[in-house]
Amino acid sequence: MRSLWFASVTLCFLGFGCRRQAALPAPGASTSRAPASAAASAGEFKPFDYASAARPGPAASALLLSHHRSPVTLAVSETDLKLPFGYGTMRTFSYESWAEWSFRHEMAAAGPVSNAGPTCTREIKVTPVAWITPLLGLREEIYQTCPQEAHPGGETRLTTLAIDLDRHTQGPPRAVLLTEIFDARVVYEALRHDDLVVKALHGSEIPTELDALVKALAEMSPVVDGKHCYSFPSDLLARFVLHHSDGTYVAARLGLPGTGPCRYELTEIELLLKMPEALRPALEHMGENTGSFFVADRPDQAKTAVVHVTARAPE
C-alpha cells in the first residue's frame, strides 16, 4: 500500500499522472498583479513557443541511442493517446494529461490578472503521424474558447514529443526541436532551397545560418491568397514530424500554421534529410515488433482522439 501511495504522489508531481493540479507559473513569470489591459487579453489564444520554452532534458539523439528496444505499443481511444512505460513500471503516458498540463502552463505564462481568471476550454483533435520509440509525432488541431472571447481561437500544428521511457529518470514528456535529431547545417541547406522559402525570401538577402533564416522567415508577412494561407512561426523547428524514410534519407515535415480567417489550415514543407546515425537503429528495427511505425506505411494507425482540457488564468 505504501508503494502504491508513493507512486501516485510521484505521478502527480511529474504533472502527467493527475489531471487536476493547479497551474504553475512559468519560469521567470511575474507574480505581481497585471494591468487591466493584460486582464482583457487573458485567455486569448496565443501559440505556445516550444522553441523558447523547451524544458531541459537529454537531446533526442541521445534518447534514441540509449533506448532499450522493447516493444511499446501506442493505443488510441476516442478521447486519449496512451503509451505504457516499459520495464513493468506502473506509469503510462497520457496525451490528455500532458495536454492539460501544457495548457495550464501556457495560461500561467501570460501572468496573473486583476480579477478572477477565466476558465478556458481547449478541444484537440490529435492524430499520430509516427511513433519511433521514444519519439511521438503528432498532428494537433486545436480549438480554444474563453468566456470573454467573441470567437474561438486555435491552430493546426505538427509536434514531436520525446517520451521518457526510463523508469529511473521519470522525466516529463517534452517537445523536440528538429536540430536535436539532425545537424543544423543539414536542415539549413534543405530549408533554404524549399520552394515556399525561396518565394518568401525573393529579393531579400538569404541568411547564412539556420537560426537567422528562421528569424527572417518569421518576420515575413503572412501569405493569404486564393490558394494559400500560412505564416512562418518563430518556433518553426519545433513544429515537425518524421513522416517516412527513403533509403538513407528521412522525410521531415514542417507545419506552417494558417492565419486570420483560415487559422486552422496547415501547410506542410517536406525536407528530405540525410539519416543521422542516432536515428538509424530505430528505423532499422521498426519492422521487428518494436511497436514503432510511420503512419505513411501503416494507415491503420491514423486514428484520431478528441481530447478536452481546461485551464484557468491565474489570479
Side-chain angles (χ1 to χ4, degrees):
M1 184 64 71
R2 178 183 295 271
S3 61
L4 290 174
W5 175 86
F6 180 77
S8 298
V9 171
T10 301
L11 289 172
C12 291
F13 176 75
L14 288 172
F16 52 85
C18 298
R19 297 186 60 242
R20 299 300 171 187
Q21 72 276 19
L24 301 176
S30 172
T31 57
S32 61
R33 295 287 181 178
S37 58
S41 63
E44 178 185 354
F45 181 82
K46 296 178 181 177
F48 195 55
D49 190 338
Y50 284 117
S52 63
R55 296 188 298 276
S61 57
L63 289 174
L64 284 163
L65 288 171
S66 65
H67 176 61
H68 185 271
R69 305 292 166 195
S70 60
V72 182
T73 303
L74 176 68
V76 183
S77 68
E78 293 183 355
T79 59
D80 202 2
L81 274 68
K82 291 187 176 182
L83 282 163
F85 285 68
Y87 315 114
T89 65
M90 295 173 57
R91 300 183 305 132
T92 296
F93 165 75
S94 164
Y95 175 86
E96 180 186 31
S97 294
W98 180 83
E100 183 154 333
W101 183 88
S102 299
F103 190 15
R104 294 185 176 199
H105 277 67
E106 290 174 39
M107 292 287 283
V113 297
S114 57
N115 299 314
T119 297
C120 298
T121 300
R122 182 174 285 183
E123 176 187 279
I124 309 171
K125 296 179 181 179
V126 56
T127 307
V129 178
W131 167 233
I132 306 172
T133 316
L135 304 180
L136 178 60
L138 303 169
R139 176 188 172 97
E140 302 169 298
E141 299 177 35
I142 304 169
Y143 304 86
Q144 181 174 310
T145 57
C146 292
Q148 78 280 21
E149 295 297 323
H151 303 286
E155 65 175 3
T156 303
R157 64 176 295 145
L158 301 177
T159 305
T160 292
L161 298 178
I163 311 296
D164 184 7
L165 297 169
D166 191 324
R167 63 177 177 176
H168 300 296
T169 61
Q170 297 189 357
R174 64 179 182 84
V176 175
L177 299 179
L178 187 60
T179 47
E180 292 183 57
I181 305 173
F182 300 91
D183 181 78
R185 197 67 197 175
V186 171
V187 176
Y188 168 81
E189 290 296 336
L191 184 61
R192 65 165 292 192
H193 289 102
D194 177 82
D195 290 344
L196 293 184
V197 172
V198 171
K199 180 180 178 181
L201 296 175
H202 179 69
S204 303
E205 183 177 352
I206 300 177
T208 58
E209 300 292 338
L210 180 59
D211 288 345
L213 176 60
V214 172
K215 183 176 184 295
L217 291 170
E219 293 173 351
M220 297 291 174
S221 299
V223 175
V224 181
D225 55 34
K227 296 182 179 179
H228 305 99
C229 175
Y230 62 85
S231 59
F232 287 92
S234 60
D235 63 345
L236 177 64
L237 298 180
R239 295 173 177 257
F240 81 95
V241 293
L242 302 180
H243 187 264
H244 65 273
S245 60
D246 182 8
T248 59
Y249 289 84
V250 180
R253 290 196 174 180
L254 297 171
L256 308 182
T259 183
C262 48
R263 66 176 67 91
Y264 300 117
E265 292 189 16
L266 183 70
T267 300
E268 297 183 9
I269 288 177
E270 182 168 293
L271 306 181
L272 201 58
L273 305 171
K274 183 72 174 179
M275 185 183 300
E277 288 303 315
L279 192 56
R280 189 181 303 277
L283 296 183
E284 289 178 346
H285 290 83
M286 285 185 73
E288 300 178 7
N289 196 32
T290 63
S292 297
F293 62 87
F294 285 120
V295 160
D297 301 324
R298 292 283 308 276
D300 58 298
Q301 296 284 354
K303 301 175 182 178
T304 299
V306 181
V307 178
H308 292 89
V309 295
T310 60
R312 185 181 181 90
E315 299 180 26

